[in-house]
Amino acid sequence: MTIHPVQTDMQFKNYIGGKWIESRSGKTFASHNPANGELIGTLQASDTRDVDDAVNAASIAFEKWRKVPAPKRAELIYRVAEILRARKQEMGELLTREMGKVLPEALGDVQEAIDMALYMAGEGRRLNGMLVPSELPSKWAMAVRDPLGVVAAITPWNFPIAIPAWKMFPALICGNTVIWKPASDTPVLAARMIEIYEQAGFPPGVVNLVTGGGGTVGDALVAHPQVRLITFTGSTDIGRAVSIKAAQNLKRVSLEMGGKNAIIVMDDADLDLAVEGILWSAFGTSGQRCTACSRVIAHHAIKKQLLDKLVPRTAALRLGDGLLATTDVGPVINHRAAQKIHEYTEIARGEGAAILVGGAIATEGDLARGSFYQPTIFDNVTPTMRVAQEEIFGPSLSILAAQSLDDAIAINNRTNFGLSTSVYTSNVNRAFEAMRDVTTGIVYINAGTIGSEVQLPFGGTRGTGNGHREGGGAVVLDTFCEWKTIYVDYSGRLQRAQIDTDALVKTVL
Ligand code: UN1
């Protein structure tokens, strides 16, 4: 494995109208490596004037871009996939340095963007509309997909390459132009990604980057009347605020928010398989996935046996810099996050949970230079405890007991989130009952709660989303398109729908 040379103290600019430019604010902010505090780069701390410039550039570009045939738009997206594939290792390493996840997962994050690019580029030759019979003779009835205009993508740091790809490739293939506001913890990756769009040959103004705070750049994008769609992934609180603010201009908002995902382990499950799924889903990405498993709902008959296998495996996980092959679990995104995760440990303790493993910020040796949290398991958790209800977004797992499958599903469904659920069972009837009765947007049987694939809808119910889905072909296109219904009457006479139907059919016959 080659580790590419580390460049530090690099200054990255905004990308507006095809030019790299400094913010009008004259201010910058820094991005650091959560494993050791290393400076990754300085970025523009933009303000509303930069957002205005970007909206202006994206609006002008839209008039040309919407007329570029979709198969041609697709060629540019294919090009992004090719460049990203060639630079996968380098981008993966940068991802580990800026965000912290271990390198194999970082490469997976980049791969997910490559997959999405290839998939959406394929839509360039599809973008199916509708052609249906008219009720009148000599008349065509059809519907086509129109782009919305300027789309704002507000993206999180936990999948800094994949999640923007889920939003931007569908937006672009449909003919929208995009302004990207990346999370302030991972902006260097965004700037590098924009270089790839530039290299792929996207025309000026079609893809724009404005870095800076959510309260300034994000709010300005949400409020701007010319931004027609906000596609946001982040916390439920911010998503709700985005939705309320955007409603004033009646704009479309696609939200992907929190999760409180559970793995249900039945008494007939393969426990070794379940343990692998739990470790991967709860502690992969240091638990910082909205699909992460933060609850295990174990059938009471096997709970002890399951914990006897799970706890030592959890205790053996090695924390460290994600670039090292010896690391199982990387840092959490920053010190604030580690503090917040620890507050939940205190809450669990206060609520009467038993801490079986972990439960502290990790500071041994080199870990003190970064923000690390020990993989943690809370036992004796009951469904109404805060640690069983609230999203922690860290390597903290609550164990609950259930009396039966129905009981487990009821516990699973009773939270304010609804993203992903997994059920371990070897009984096919139980598996199908769970597939019927679980009310989250994603259900896994005999696999963990993480690992969705781009060609299927991704999203959740209740506080996780607002009804939109990402990935999943036609489903995601519906978010990024406006349906335009077109009637073409070539009869040469006035035909009145719903009135002349009978008479005219008689004339034709
Ligand atoms: C997220 O955590 O926000 O299914 C997305 C998964 C990944 C995507 C997670 N493919 O875990």
Side-chain angles (χ1 to χ4, degrees):
M1 185 184 73
T2 43
I3 302 284
H4 289 262
V6 174
Q7 303 180 66
T8 54
D9 209 3
M10 302 216 20
Q11 176 149 170
F12 295 86
K13 297 182 179 152
N14 285 332
Y15 187 69
I16 298 175
K19 293 199 180 67
W20 293 95
I21 47 181
E22 283 172 10
S23 166
R24 292 183 187 240
S25 72
K27 293 184 192 144
T28 58
F29 67 99
S31 173
H32 294 102
N33 184 334
N36 54 27
E38 162 206 16
L39 179 68
I40 307 290
T42 55
L43 293 295
Q44 306 302 310
S46 310
D47 67 20
T48 50
R49 291 168 294 176
D50 304 306
V51 169
D52 287 344
D53 291 345
V55 175
N56 209 15
S59 302
I60 293 168
F62 174 64
E63 282 312 314
K64 282 194 182 157
W65 181 243
R66 72 184 177 88
K67 293 181 194 146
V68 174
K72 294 283 161 210
R73 298 198 287 255
E75 280 173 28
L76 299 180
I77 296 177
Y78 270 126
R79 206 54 210 114
V80 172
E82 279 166 4
I83 300 169
L84 206 48
R85 199 169 0 219
R87 292 179 58 182
K88 182 172 165 182
Q89 184 70 23
E90 172 207 339
M91 289 296 278
E93 287 166 12
L94 177 63
L95 203 159
T96 295
R97 287 174 50 227
E98 192 172 38
M99 182 273 164
K101 66 174 77 170
V102 293
L103 187 57
E105 288 187 37
L107 294 170
D109 194 322
V110 178
Q111 185 59 46
E112 202 164 327
I114 296 169
D115 296 343
M116 191 64 183
L118 295 174
Y119 182 47
M120 278 300 130
E123 283 298 336
R125 289 192 183 268
R126 218 170 2 245
L127 278 183
N128 298 110
M130 300 175 200
L131 180 62
V132 294
S134 164
E135 64 186 48
L136 293 162
S138 302
K139 187 180 174 190
W140 268 36
M142 57 192 165
V144 297
R145 295 177 182 278
D146 253 7
L148 291 144
V150 179
V151 166
I154 303 178
T155 60
W157 46 262
N158 69 330
F159 275 83
I161 298 294
I163 290 180
W166 289 2
K167 299 176 183 301
M168 290 168 67
F169 297 136
L172 292 167
I173 198 65
C174 290
N176 302 286
T177 53
V178 175
I179 301 169
W180 181 11
K181 195 226 94 57
S184 295
D185 283 300
T186 50
V188 172
L189 283 160
R192 290 285 185 225
M193 194 62 210
I194 290 287
E195 287 171 3
I196 293 176
Y197 279 96
E198 186 181 37
Q199 208 187 330
F202 275 85
V206 172
V207 180
N208 305 275
L209 175 76
V210 182
T211 56
T216 45
V217 177
D219 270 8
L221 286 167
V222 174
H224 201 296
Q226 267 165 277
V227 173
R228 293 314 308 152
L229 164 68
I230 312 291
T231 168
F232 168 87
T233 297
S235 74
T236 301
D237 285 346
I238 309 257
R240 183 180 293 111
V242 165
S243 189
I244 290 168
K245 192 161 192 177
Q248 270 148 9
N249 283 316
L250 299 176
K251 40 180 94 166
R252 192 178 298 180
V253 179
S254 170
L255 302 174
E256 286 300 337
M257 301 172 289
K260 191 69 194 172
N261 316 293
I263 293 184
I264 295 173
V265 185
M266 291 307 297
D267 50 352
D268 53 34
D270 175 338
L271 294 188
D272 293 317
L273 188 67
V275 166
E276 297 302 329
I278 294 166
L279 288 167
W280 172 229
S281 304
F283 305 121
T285 328
S286 310
Q288 303 170 111
R289 294 195 190 206
C290 52
T291 50
C293 168
S294 62
R295 297 180 294 161
V296 164
I297 306 172
H299 191 280
H300 68 93
I302 48 81
K303 181 172 160 252
K304 184 179 175 311
Q305 218 184 325
L306 181 73
L307 287 175
D308 286 347
K309 290 174 187 279
L310 181 64
V311 172
R313 291 286 303 279
T314 305
L317 292 171
R318 296 160 300 178
L319 287 171
D321 185 328
L323 285 179
L324 303 174
T326 47
T327 299
D328 298 311
V329 179
V332 296
I333 190 67
N334 54 39
H335 292 301
R336 232 176 24 259
Q339 283 300 342
K340 188 187 151 204
I341 294 162
H342 190 62
E343 278 166 28
Y344 274 103
T345 299
E346 296 301 343
I347 290 168
R349 213 174 254 131
E351 288 181 313
I355 295 163
L356 300 185
V357 54
I361 291 175
T363 52
E364 312 85 72
D366 279 353
L367 300 183
R369 291 161 59 213
S371 44
F372 290 88
Y373 203 82
Q374 295 171 348
T376 298
I377 297 183
F378 309 134
D379 192 13
N380 302 337
V381 175
T382 55
T384 53
M385 285 184 186
R386 285 184 62 191
V387 286
Q389 287 290 332
E390 297 174 22
E391 185 176 49
I392 302 175
F393 224 63
S396 305
L397 176 66
S398 294
I399 310 290
L400 296 93
Q403 299 308 314
S404 63
L405 181 63
D406 282 351
D407 186 28
I409 292 174
I411 295 169
N412 174 68
N413 290 349
R414 228 180 287 130
T415 74
N416 291 330
F417 300 105
L419 185 52
S420 176
T421 304
S422 122
V423 182
Y424 280 83
T425 178
S426 56
N427 179 321
V428 71
N429 295 352
R430 280 179 163 173
F432 273 84
E433 277 171 41
M435 284 150 61
R436 183 193 59 203
D437 295 338
V438 162
T439 56
T440 53
I442 305 169
V443 180
Y444 290 93
I445 304 294
N446 292 331
T449 54
I450 65 177
S452 64
E453 301 181 27
V454 299
Q455 68 276 23
L456 287 160
F458 179 93
T461 60
R462 299 185 281 276
T464 295
N466 63 341
H468 290 273
R469 291 291 185 270
E470 301 196 326
V475 177
V476 72
L477 298 179
D478 283 346
T479 296
F480 288 94
C481 284
E482 204 66 90
W483 278 105
K484 183 190 276 173
T485 303
I486 304 173
Y487 298 100
V488 182
D489 190 323
Y490 58 99
S491 70
R493 56 182 181 268
L494 172 69
Q495 300 197 91
R496 298 176 301 172
Q498 292 97 39
I499 296 172
D500 296 337
T501 318
D502 291 346
L504 280 169
V505 169
K506 271 182 213 131
T507 349
V508 173
L509 298 174

